[in-house]
Amino acid sequence: MIFAADLDRTLMYSKRAINELGEPKELDLTPVEKKDGYWVAYMTTSSFQALKELSQQHLFVPVTTRTTEQYNRFVIFPEEISIKYAITSNGANILCRGIPLEEWSEHINTRLQSESISQAELRSILHGAGFHFDGQMRHAGKQFFYYILNNLPSASDKKVINELVGKYGWRISLQGRKLYFIPKAINKGSALEYICKREGMKAIAGAGDSILDWDFLQNCQYRFVPRHGELAGELTTTKFTLTKKYGVSAGDEILQQFLKLLPLKT
């Protein structure tokens, strides 16, 4: 059986996220991501053990907006947690045992050329409409870009921006201080559906915190959303389970739910 989950602010939490979400200091944490020689992201030790046990008997698919390079900073994959497939760059890439699937990359490139304008054209339109973002811009390869903002947009500005870019085959997602601009052709749902068909299996359970995660959660029979996430405040449907806890504790709660749904052989 397949289970899939977003990583950042769903199962794994940076030091900034842990501090922002007010985690109690007595939590037992396991480091999972290393950058420049330093540990920068964590899971609770109990959620780490649960994920390790589940991935030994079921097919776990990490689903992330991170680029492949950023995803590879999670040193637990595949050293301690077995991974066959991983979805990176919000669905632009599917890794099979760490190697990008060329047929999927070609499929995405074809869709991008026909369904959306370029990054440069979109930024020009945004500037022409009077939108200037206070923060650092980052490119996620050739697929999309995002800003690490000093000041967050208002709800009304966010709505206007999304409607504007939607006319050109793009959409936005605000995750913490990161404002993502992503072509609609790139989505996690299509990538997970491709893996399911390739394996001849269904996705039983999934979890994610952002609007971008709803694409793949719709392919899952059971859906879990952290109470602190972007999705929690945006969705009007009731077809998902909201965690009772916030922050890294929500990640632990999600994996305990996965354990109930996905039986382990003893």
Side-chain angles (χ1 to χ4, degrees):
M1 291 185 282
I2 291 176
F3 68 106
D6 173 57
L7 300 178
D8 294 287
R9 290 178 174 250
T10 298
L11 298 186
M12 286 79 167
Y13 292 79
S14 67
K15 291 181 179 179
R16 177 188 290 274
I18 291 172
N19 291 332
E20 284 180 357
L21 296 168
E23 294 296 340
K25 294 181 181 179
E26 64 270 16
L27 280 172
D28 184 14
L29 300 176
T30 293
V32 295
E33 179 190 1
K34 186 172 281 189
K35 182 179 180 182
D36 300 328
Y38 296 94
W39 293 110
V40 295
Y42 304 83
M43 301 173 69
T44 65
T45 298
S46 58
S47 63
F48 173 79
Q49 291 299 329
L51 183 59
K52 190 172 182 178
E53 290 178 18
L54 283 164
S55 64
Q56 288 172 349
Q57 298 189 27
H58 302 286
L59 185 59
F60 170 51
V61 180
V63 186
T64 180
T65 305
R66 288 184 177 219
T67 63
T68 300
E69 181 181 6
Q70 292 168 334
Y71 163 79
N72 285 335
R73 297 202 303 251
F74 286 114
V75 296
I76 59 171
F77 305 137
E79 291 182 7
E80 298 185 76
I81 295 177
S82 177
I83 298 294
K84 182 175 182 180
Y85 296 102
I87 295 169
T88 65
S89 300
N90 203 65
N93 301 307
I94 296 176
L95 308 181
C96 182
R97 305 200 186 282
I99 306 299
L101 291 177
E102 291 186 8
E103 63 267 30
W104 179 254
S105 299
E106 292 172 0
H107 167 72
I108 289 297
N109 289 333
T110 298
R111 288 193 61 187
L112 287 174
Q113 292 175 15
S114 63
E115 298 178 22
S116 60
I117 63 175
S118 70
Q119 293 186 34
E121 289 172 316
L122 185 69
R123 290 197 299 273
S124 178
I125 289 170
L126 285 165
H127 292 160
F131 289 107
H132 302 278
F133 302 99
D134 179 17
Q136 297 177 319
M137 190 186 76
R138 294 281 189 271
H139 290 280
K142 297 180 180 180
Q143 285 84 19
F144 59 92
F145 63 98
Y146 60 95
Y147 290 90
I148 303 174
L149 299 174
N150 298 318
N151 297 293
L152 301 183
S154 66
S156 58
D157 277 351
K158 182 181 172 184
K159 181 179 179 181
V160 171
I161 294 168
N162 199 44
E163 290 176 349
L164 175 61
V165 302
K167 297 176 182 178
Y168 303 97
W170 289 70
R171 59 178 171 165
I172 66 169
S173 174
L174 182 62
Q175 302 176 34
R177 294 191 305 126
K178 293 181 180 179
L179 179 62
Y180 289 89
F181 290 82
I182 300 182
K184 295 179 181 179
I186 297 176
N187 70 82
K188 298 175 178 179
S190 296
L192 181 59
E193 185 178 4
Y194 182 86
I195 292 172
C196 289
K197 289 181 178 178
R198 200 171 196 256
E199 290 294 314
M201 301 167 67
K202 292 183 179 181
I204 302 299
D209 70 305
S210 80
I211 287 295
L212 299 174
D213 294 323
W214 187 241
D215 295 325
F216 85 85
L217 288 177
Q218 293 180 79
N219 292 331
C220 301
Q221 185 176 351
Y222 297 95
R223 308 152 182 157
F224 298 92
V225 174
R227 183 168 289 274
H228 58 260
E230 179 189 29
L231 262 179
E234 296 281 350
L235 287 180
T236 55
T237 179
T238 58
K239 296 181 179 180
F240 66 94
T241 299
L242 198 64
T243 64
K244 296 178 181 178
K245 298 178 181 179
Y246 291 82
V248 68
S249 297
D252 188 69
E253 183 179 338
I254 286 167
L255 280 157
Q256 295 307 315
Q257 292 288 347
F258 283 179
L259 281 172
K260 293 178 182 179
L261 293 168
L262 300 163
L264 296 178
K265 297 178 182 178
T266 57

CSV table of all heavy atoms in Angstrom, one decimal, residues 99-126:
chain,number,residue,atom,x,y,z
A,99,ILE,N,17.0,8.7,-8.9
A,99,ILE,CA,17.2,9.1,-10.3
A,99,ILE,C,16.0,9.6,-10.9
A,99,ILE,O,14.9,9.0,-10.9
A,99,ILE,CB,17.7,7.9,-11.2
A,99,ILE,CG1,19.0,7.2,-10.5
A,99,ILE,CG2,18.1,8.4,-12.6
A,99,ILE,CD1,20.2,8.2,-10.4
A,100,PRO,N,16.0,10.8,-11.5
A,100,PRO,CA,14.8,11.4,-12.1
A,100,PRO,C,14.3,10.5,-13.3
A,100,PRO,O,15.0,10.0,-14.1
A,100,PRO,CB,15.2,12.7,-12.7
A,100,PRO,CG,16.5,13.1,-11.9
A,100,PRO,CD,17.1,11.8,-11.6
A,101,LEU,N,12.9,10.3,-13.3
A,101,LEU,CA,12.3,9.6,-14.4
A,101,LEU,C,12.2,10.5,-15.6
A,101,LEU,O,11.5,11.5,-15.6
A,101,LEU,CB,10.9,9.1,-14.0
A,101,LEU,CG,10.8,8.1,-12.9
A,101,LEU,CD1,9.4,7.8,-12.6
A,101,LEU,CD2,11.5,6.8,-13.4
A,102,GLU,N,12.9,10.2,-16.7
A,102,GLU,CA,13.0,11.1,-17.8
A,102,GLU,C,11.7,11.2,-18.5
A,102,GLU,O,11.3,12.3,-19.0
A,102,GLU,CB,14.0,10.5,-18.8
A,102,GLU,CG,15.5,10.6,-18.3
A,102,GLU,CD,16.5,10.2,-19.4
A,102,GLU,OE1,16.1,10.0,-20.5
A,102,GLU,OE2,17.7,10.1,-19.0
A,103,GLU,N,10.9,10.1,-18.6
A,103,GLU,CA,9.6,10.2,-19.3
A,103,GLU,C,8.7,11.2,-18.6
A,103,GLU,O,7.9,11.9,-19.2
A,103,GLU,CB,8.9,8.8,-19.4
A,103,GLU,CG,8.6,8.2,-18.1
A,103,GLU,CD,9.6,7.2,-17.5
A,103,GLU,OE1,10.8,7.5,-17.8
A,103,GLU,OE2,9.3,6.3,-16.8
A,104,TRP,N,8.8,11.3,-17.2
A,104,TRP,CA,7.9,12.2,-16.5
A,104,TRP,C,8.4,13.7,-16.8
A,104,TRP,O,7.6,14.6,-17.0
A,104,TRP,CB,7.9,11.9,-15.0
A,104,TRP,CG,7.1,12.9,-14.2
A,104,TRP,CD1,7.5,13.9,-13.4
A,104,TRP,CD2,5.7,13.0,-14.2
A,104,TRP,NE1,6.5,14.6,-12.9
A,104,TRP,CE2,5.3,14.1,-13.4
A,104,TRP,CE3,4.7,12.3,-14.9
A,104,TRP,CZ2,4.0,14.4,-13.2
A,104,TRP,CZ3,3.3,12.6,-14.6
A,104,TRP,CH2,3.0,13.7,-13.8
A,105,SER,N,9.7,13.9,-16.8
A,105,SER,CA,10.3,15.2,-17.0
A,105,SER,C,9.9,15.7,-18.4
A,105,SER,O,9.5,16.9,-18.6
A,105,SER,CB,11.8,15.2,-16.9
A,105,SER,OG,12.2,14.8,-15.6
A,106,GLU,N,9.9,14.8,-19.4
A,106,GLU,CA,9.5,15.2,-20.7
A,106,GLU,C,8.1,15.6,-20.8
A,106,GLU,O,7.7,16.6,-21.5
A,106,GLU,CB,9.8,14.1,-21.7
A,106,GLU,CG,11.3,13.8,-21.9
A,106,GLU,CD,11.6,12.6,-22.7
A,106,GLU,OE1,10.6,11.9,-23.1
A,106,GLU,OE2,12.8,12.3,-23.0
A,107,HIS,N,7.2,14.9,-20.1
A,107,HIS,CA,5.8,15.1,-20.0
A,107,HIS,C,5.5,16.5,-19.4
A,107,HIS,O,4.7,17.3,-20.0
A,107,HIS,CB,5.1,14.1,-19.2
A,107,HIS,CG,3.7,14.4,-18.8
A,107,HIS,ND1,2.6,14.4,-19.7
A,107,HIS,CD2,3.2,14.7,-17.6
A,107,HIS,CE1,1.5,14.7,-19.0
A,107,HIS,NE2,1.8,14.9,-17.8
A,108,ILE,N,6.2,16.8,-18.3
A,108,ILE,CA,6.1,18.1,-17.7
A,108,ILE,C,6.5,19.3,-18.6
A,108,ILE,O,5.8,20.3,-18.7
A,108,ILE,CB,6.8,18.2,-16.3
A,108,ILE,CG1,6.1,17.3,-15.3
A,108,ILE,CG2,6.9,19.6,-15.8
A,108,ILE,CD1,4.7,17.7,-14.9
A,109,ASN,N,7.7,19.1,-19.2
A,109,ASN,CA,8.2,20.2,-20.1
A,109,ASN,C,7.2,20.5,-21.2
A,109,ASN,O,7.1,21.6,-21.6
A,109,ASN,CB,9.6,19.8,-20.6
A,109,ASN,CG,10.6,19.8,-19.6
A,109,ASN,OD1,10.5,20.6,-18.6
A,109,ASN,ND2,11.7,19.0,-19.7
A,110,THR,N,6.6,19.4,-21.8
A,110,THR,CA,5.6,19.6,-22.9
A,110,THR,C,4.4,20.4,-22.4
A,110,THR,O,4.0,21.4,-23.1
A,110,THR,CB,5.2,18.3,-23.4
A,110,THR,OG1,6.3,17.6,-24.0
A,110,THR,CG2,4.1,18.5,-24.5
A,111,ARG,N,3.9,20.1,-21.2
A,111,ARG,CA,2.8,20.8,-20.6
A,111,ARG,C,3.1,22.3,-20.3
A,111,ARG,O,2.3,23.2,-20.6
A,111,ARG,CB,2.3,20.1,-19.4
A,111,ARG,CG,1.6,18.8,-19.6
A,111,ARG,CD,0.9,18.4,-18.4
A,111,ARG,NE,-0.2,19.4,-18.0
A,111,ARG,CZ,-0.9,19.3,-16.8
A,111,ARG,NH1,-0.6,18.3,-16.0
A,111,ARG,NH2,-1.8,20.2,-16.5
A,112,LEU,N,4.3,22.5,-19.8
A,112,LEU,CA,4.7,23.9,-19.5
A,112,LEU,C,4.7,24.8,-20.7
A,112,LEU,O,4.3,25.9,-20.7
A,112,LEU,CB,6.1,23.9,-18.8
A,112,LEU,CG,6.2,23.4,-17.4
A,112,LEU,CD1,7.6,23.3,-16.9
A,112,LEU,CD2,5.4,24.3,-16.4
A,113,GLN,N,5.2,24.3,-21.8
A,113,GLN,CA,5.4,25.1,-23.0
A,113,GLN,C,4.0,25.4,-23.6
A,113,GLN,O,3.8,26.5,-24.2
A,113,GLN,CB,6.2,24.3,-24.1
A,113,GLN,CG,7.6,24.1,-23.7
A,113,GLN,CD,8.4,23.3,-24.7
A,113,GLN,OE1,7.9,23.0,-25.8
A,113,GLN,NE2,9.6,22.8,-24.3
A,114,SER,N,3.0,24.6,-23.3
A,114,SER,CA,1.7,24.8,-24.0
A,114,SER,C,0.7,25.5,-23.0
A,114,SER,O,-0.3,26.0,-23.5
A,114,SER,CB,1.1,23.5,-24.5
A,114,SER,OG,0.9,22.6,-23.4
A,115,GLU,N,0.9,25.4,-21.7
A,115,GLU,CA,-0.1,25.8,-20.7
A,115,GLU,C,0.2,27.1,-19.9
A,115,GLU,O,-0.7,27.6,-19.2
A,115,GLU,CB,-0.4,24.7,-19.8
A,115,GLU,CG,-1.0,23.4,-20.5
A,115,GLU,CD,-1.2,22.3,-19.6
A,115,GLU,OE1,-1.4,22.5,-18.3
A,115,GLU,OE2,-1.3,21.1,-20.0
A,116,SER,N,1.5,27.6,-19.9
A,116,SER,CA,1.8,28.7,-19.1
A,116,SER,C,2.8,29.6,-19.8
A,116,SER,O,3.6,29.1,-20.6
A,116,SER,CB,2.3,28.3,-17.7
A,116,SER,OG,3.4,27.5,-17.8
A,117,ILE,N,2.9,30.9,-19.3
A,117,ILE,CA,3.9,31.8,-19.8
A,117,ILE,C,5.2,31.6,-19.0
A,117,ILE,O,5.2,30.8,-18.0
A,117,ILE,CB,3.5,33.3,-19.7
A,117,ILE,CG1,3.2,33.7,-18.3
A,117,ILE,CG2,2.2,33.5,-20.6
A,117,ILE,CD1,2.9,35.1,-18.1
A,118,SER,N,6.3,32.2,-19.4
A,118,SER,CA,7.6,32.0,-18.7
A,118,SER,C,7.6,32.7,-17.4
A,118,SER,O,6.8,33.6,-17.1
A,118,SER,CB,8.7,32.4,-19.6
A,118,SER,OG,8.7,33.9,-19.7
A,119,GLN,N,8.6,32.4,-16.6
A,119,GLN,CA,8.8,33.1,-15.3
A,119,GLN,C,9.1,34.6,-15.6
A,119,GLN,O,8.5,35.5,-14.9
A,119,GLN,CB,10.0,32.5,-14.6
A,119,GLN,CG,9.9,31.1,-14.1
A,119,GLN,CD,11.0,30.7,-13.3
A,119,GLN,OE1,11.6,31.5,-12.5
A,119,GLN,NE2,11.4,29.4,-13.3
A,120,ALA,N,9.9,34.9,-16.5
A,120,ALA,CA,10.2,36.3,-16.8
A,120,ALA,C,9.0,37.1,-17.2
A,120,ALA,O,8.8,38.2,-16.8
A,120,ALA,CB,11.3,36.4,-17.9
A,121,GLU,N,8.2,36.5,-18.1
A,121,GLU,CA,7.0,37.2,-18.5
A,121,GLU,C,6.0,37.4,-17.3
A,121,GLU,O,5.4,38.5,-17.2
A,121,GLU,CB,6.3,36.3,-19.6
A,121,GLU,CG,7.0,36.3,-20.9
A,121,GLU,CD,6.4,35.3,-21.9
A,121,GLU,OE1,6.1,34.2,-21.5
A,121,GLU,OE2,6.2,35.7,-23.1
A,122,LEU,N,5.9,36.4,-16.4
A,122,LEU,CA,5.0,36.6,-15.3
A,122,LEU,C,5.5,37.7,-14.4
A,122,LEU,O,4.7,38.5,-13.9
A,122,LEU,CB,4.9,35.2,-14.6
A,122,LEU,CG,3.9,35.3,-13.4
A,122,LEU,CD1,2.4,35.4,-14.0
A,122,LEU,CD2,4.0,34.0,-12.5
A,123,ARG,N,6.8,37.7,-14.1
A,123,ARG,CA,7.3,38.7,-13.2
A,123,ARG,C,7.1,40.1,-13.8
A,123,ARG,O,6.8,41.1,-13.1
A,123,ARG,CB,8.8,38.5,-12.9
A,123,ARG,CG,9.0,37.3,-12.0
A,123,ARG,CD,10.4,37.3,-11.4
A,123,ARG,NE,11.4,37.3,-12.4
A,123,ARG,CZ,11.9,36.2,-13.0
A,123,ARG,NH1,11.5,35.0,-12.6
A,123,ARG,NH2,12.9,36.2,-13.9
A,124,SER,N,7.2,40.2,-15.1
A,124,SER,CA,7.0,41.5,-15.8
A,124,SER,C,5.5,42.0,-15.6
A,124,SER,O,5.2,43.1,-15.4
A,124,SER,CB,7.3,41.4,-17.3
A,124,SER,OG,7.1,42.6,-17.9
A,125,ILE,N,4.6,41.0,-15.7
A,125,ILE,CA,3.2,41.3,-15.6
A,125,ILE,C,2.9,41.8,-14.1
A,125,ILE,O,2.1,42.7,-13.9
A,125,ILE,CB,2.3,40.1,-16.0
A,125,ILE,CG1,2.4,39.9,-17.5
A,125,ILE,CG2,0.9,40.3,-15.5
A,125,ILE,CD1,1.8,38.6,-18.0
A,126,LEU,N,3.5,41.1,-13.2
A,126,LEU,CA,3.3,41.4,-11.8
A,126,LEU,C,3.8,42.8,-11.4
A,126,LEU,O,3.1,43.6,-10.8
A,126,LEU,CB,4.0,40.4,-10.9
A,126,LEU,CG,3.3,39.0,-10.7
A,126,LEU,CD1,4.3,38.0,-10.1
A,126,LEU,CD2,2.1,39.1,-9.9
